[in-house]
Amino acid sequence: MRLGALEAGGTKMVLAVFTENGEMLDRISLPTLTPDETMPEMIRYFKEQAVDALGIGCFGPLDLNPASPTYGSITMTPKLPWRMYPITSAFHEALGVPVALDTDVNGAALAEATLGAAKGLSSCLYVTIGTGIGGGVVIGGKCVHGLMHPELGHQLVMPHPEDPTPKGFCPYHDSCLEGLAAGPAIEKRWGISAKELPHDHVGWTIEVDAIAKLCHNAIMSFSPEKIILGGGVMQQSFLFPRIRRRTLELLGGYISSPQVDNELEDYIVPPALDTLSGITGAYLLARQALAI
Ligand code: ADP
Ligand code: ZN
């Protein structure tokens, strides 16, 4: 059995083939252009690789409601050529194999819950803090879907009192997490790349505060057993202890559990699968497509 995996991102597509047991046999990466340009290349690859199923972890938002006429499509993405693109049916028709679709972050959360930092637990939250902020949620071993899927990056958070741009930079919302704390927000606010912002800059205090508010809200909303923070901004590993500390302050002693008593040391963590969470999630989605 050969399982195809696609991590569909706004700038690049990562395509891979796995054995049924999760050994990666091949992997390539292509730039994300328009569907007319990129889809034929991806279809050619998966045909050549003779995959028996395909799992896709994709940038959103996505229509994941099986009762909807546009089920399996990318919906209102700002990446205009992909808006309302029926990615699931396009692959299904071209390859003639089962195809499963979920958000890139739900896929990554599934991978971390099955094989990574939350292995052995039945719930986790995976958040990427990079060009945007996205959160995937696994509860009871399953990715959470509902009205559509969680969009944790667009939750509203109370801005830090020292934030000079408290409305943030999201074109849709004032003071949403992504608009306040994604990499480009740091860069727009301070006119310097997040990589170069000194560790003692107030910008990091503001960043830590926003991410800790996300952790607080997630704990209060759906009580994940692990919070996994990834993405480019979290390459700044000095942020982890500061986020744990600020989250504890925000929790205000209200939650008691062994993880909290341990100062969130093993609770708010980096991804164990490192940069492979996304593509591994797509492989697990391919398994789900075959119900294996
Ligand atoms: P994407 O979100 O596009 O998949 P990343 O997760 O790598 O990709 O996020 C890229 C963003 O993360 C960049 O815009 C930059 O703001 C930020 N970033 C990348 N590397 C670092 C770093 N080492 N330190 C701080 N910020 C970084
Ligand atoms: Zn927003």
Side-chain angles (χ1 to χ4, degrees):
M1 200 73 94
R2 295 169 68 83
L3 303 184
L6 168 61
E7 186 183 5
T11 50
K12 71 173 192 264
M13 300 285 187
V14 179
L15 296 78
V17 183
F18 288 78
T19 64
E20 195 174 324
N21 296 327
E23 186 195 343
M24 195 190 287
L25 300 173
D26 191 59
R27 179 166 59 145
I28 64 162
S29 155
L30 301 170
T32 304
L33 306 173
T34 64
D36 281 351
E37 292 163 297
T38 308
M39 284 298 291
E41 273 195 82
M42 295 197 288
I43 288 165
R44 194 175 322 118
Y45 174 81
F46 287 122
K47 272 191 177 161
E48 277 168 15
Q49 292 287 340
V51 297
D52 298 295
L54 177 64
I56 309 173
C58 188
F59 61 85
L62 305 175
D63 183 344
L64 299 177
N65 175 1
S68 159
T70 54
Y71 174 61
S73 298
I74 300 169
T75 60
M76 291 310 284
T77 173
K79 303 165 194 27
L80 292 179
W82 294 88
R83 191 173 275 191
M84 296 318 297
Y85 185 72
I87 190 164
T88 311
S89 58
F91 274 116
H92 178 63
E93 281 158 26
L95 300 174
V97 300
V99 180
L101 175 75
D102 214 317
T103 61
D104 44 7
V105 280
N106 260 352
L110 181 64
E112 290 291 336
T114 312
L115 301 165
K119 190 174 169 182
L121 304 175
S122 71
S123 62
C124 77
L125 164 65
Y126 174 94
V127 185
T128 177
I129 302 156
T131 308
I133 297 185
V137 183
V138 167
I139 302 278
K142 292 205 159 56
C143 297
V144 170
H145 300 155
L147 181 65
M148 38 186 274
H149 46 77
E151 281 282 355
L152 290 160
H154 292 278
Q155 67 183 272
L156 305 185
V157 296
M158 207 186 303
H160 189 276
E162 289 175 72
D163 189 343
T165 52
K167 288 190 175 177
F169 303 92
C170 174
Y172 298 95
H173 317 112
D174 285 349
S175 309
C176 85
L177 182 68
E178 177 170 298
L180 291 170
I186 301 175
E187 288 163 21
K188 282 184 193 138
R189 188 185 285 116
W190 305 112
I192 172 176
S193 93
K195 269 185 203 156
E196 291 163 79
L197 199 66
H199 289 192
D200 59 356
H201 193 284
V202 66
W204 288 121
T205 308
I206 290 168
E207 183 72 11
V208 162
D209 182 67
I211 299 170
K213 282 172 176 158
L214 157 75
C215 295
H216 172 97
N217 291 346
I219 292 167
M220 299 307 184
S221 304
F222 51 88
S223 217
E225 290 162 285
K226 191 83 79 175
I227 297 180
I228 301 153
L229 302 177
V233 173
M234 293 311 300
Q235 296 299 313
Q236 301 285 340
S237 54
F238 79 95
L239 293 174
F240 278 95
R242 290 185 59 179
I243 291 167
R244 292 184 191 114
R245 230 174 11 251
R246 182 68 184 132
T247 304
L248 278 173
E249 275 172 21
L250 292 170
L251 291 174
Y254 186 77
I255 300 283
S256 76
S257 80
Q259 283 89 341
V260 176
D261 296 341
N262 193 24
E263 310 209 312
L264 305 178
E265 190 72 36
D266 306 314
Y267 183 72
I268 298 178
V269 296
L273 300 173
D274 201 16
T275 53
L276 291 179
S277 316
I279 197 71
T280 307
Y283 148 73
L284 292 169
L285 291 170
R287 288 183 61 101
Q288 287 187 355
L290 287 170
I292 55 174

